[in-house]
Amino acid sequence: MRYFIRSVKYFIYFGLMLAVIMVALYALKMTDPQAKDFPSMFFKDGYDSLKLIGLVFAGVSAVYPLIGFAKIKAIVPGEYADVRGMVIDYMQERGYVLEKEEGENLSFRASSIVRKITRMFEDRIELERDFTGFLVKGKRSDIVRIIHGLESRARQNNV
């Protein structure tokens, strides 16, 4: 269900971006003034082009959650009690607040409303405790940076 919701969110996002671009082009008078209808002002084939663009957006929206979200291991050695404070401090520095803590699993949300909106409220980062550290789940571009930072911070604390 989460996958389907993400796909729909991205489809809407792509559609809104297209609408914003079209309105901007219209406002800047960069369209064909002799066109018979609104889509023909922008696209050679009018409504047929919009249908094709919609199909492309649907395809990309259906695939993006597969590659845009991931679950990657972060090697953070030490007992949970020893690394918990370091992890929470690091995440707060990165602009995340602790949402919930269940046992040794942590869930964070972005503290900035701007970040929440730009991520379409897909701003949750989950850390599941593992033998060698944490399994980090969330948006791939965010968790790669977070994992690198957590591992670096853990190495600095252990040296």
Side-chain angles (χ1 to χ4, degrees):
M1 189 62 169
R2 181 183 261 181
Y3 181 85
F4 177 74
I5 291 170
R6 284 179 176 160
S7 295
V8 170
K9 281 183 181 182
Y10 278 99
F11 182 77
I12 292 169
Y13 177 75
F14 293 144
L16 287 174
M17 292 303 294
L18 177 63
V20 167
I21 291 169
M22 289 172 67
V23 167
L25 290 173
Y26 183 76
L28 295 171
K29 300 187 185 325
M30 299 177 75
T31 58
D32 182 12
Q34 281 84 29
K36 59 184 177 212
D37 57 10
F38 192 73
S40 297
M41 292 175 135
F42 300 95
F43 308 111
K44 179 179 148 195
D45 295 329
Y47 284 104
D48 291 336
S49 294
L50 280 179
K51 291 175 192 174
L52 183 61
I53 290 170
L55 286 173
V56 170
F57 285 176
V60 171
S61 299
V63 174
Y64 183 75
L66 283 175
I67 58 176
F69 294 86
K71 184 179 196 178
I72 304 174
K73 181 178 283 212
I75 300 172
V76 182
E79 294 295 321
Y80 178 73
D82 299 333
V83 298
R84 179 187 177 277
M86 180 271 298
V87 169
I88 292 174
D89 289 343
Y90 176 76
M91 293 298 287
Q92 286 176 343
E93 290 171 14
R94 299 285 303 166
Y96 290 90
V97 293
L98 183 63
E99 176 186 36
K100 64 182 173 183
E101 182 174 7
E102 295 175 346
E104 294 185 347
N105 299 330
L106 303 168
S107 178
F108 295 90
R109 296 297 300 253
S111 58
S112 165
I113 190 68
V114 174
R115 182 178 282 179
K116 288 176 186 269
I117 291 170
T118 59
R119 306 248 187 313
M120 292 180 294
F121 295 93
E122 293 287 347
D123 60 327
R124 180 176 286 123
I125 303 293
E126 297 175 6
L127 285 86
E128 295 177 6
R129 188 68 174 151
D130 193 326
F131 291 114
T132 60
F134 293 96
L135 287 173
V136 184
K137 293 192 310 185
K139 195 164 191 242
R140 185 181 301 269
S141 60
D142 293 335
I143 67 171
V144 167
R145 285 187 289 262
I146 288 169
I147 289 170
H148 176 71
L150 281 174
E151 289 176 346
S152 296
R153 182 76 56 95
R155 279 193 300 273
Q156 290 173 357
N157 288 348
N158 287 337
V159 173

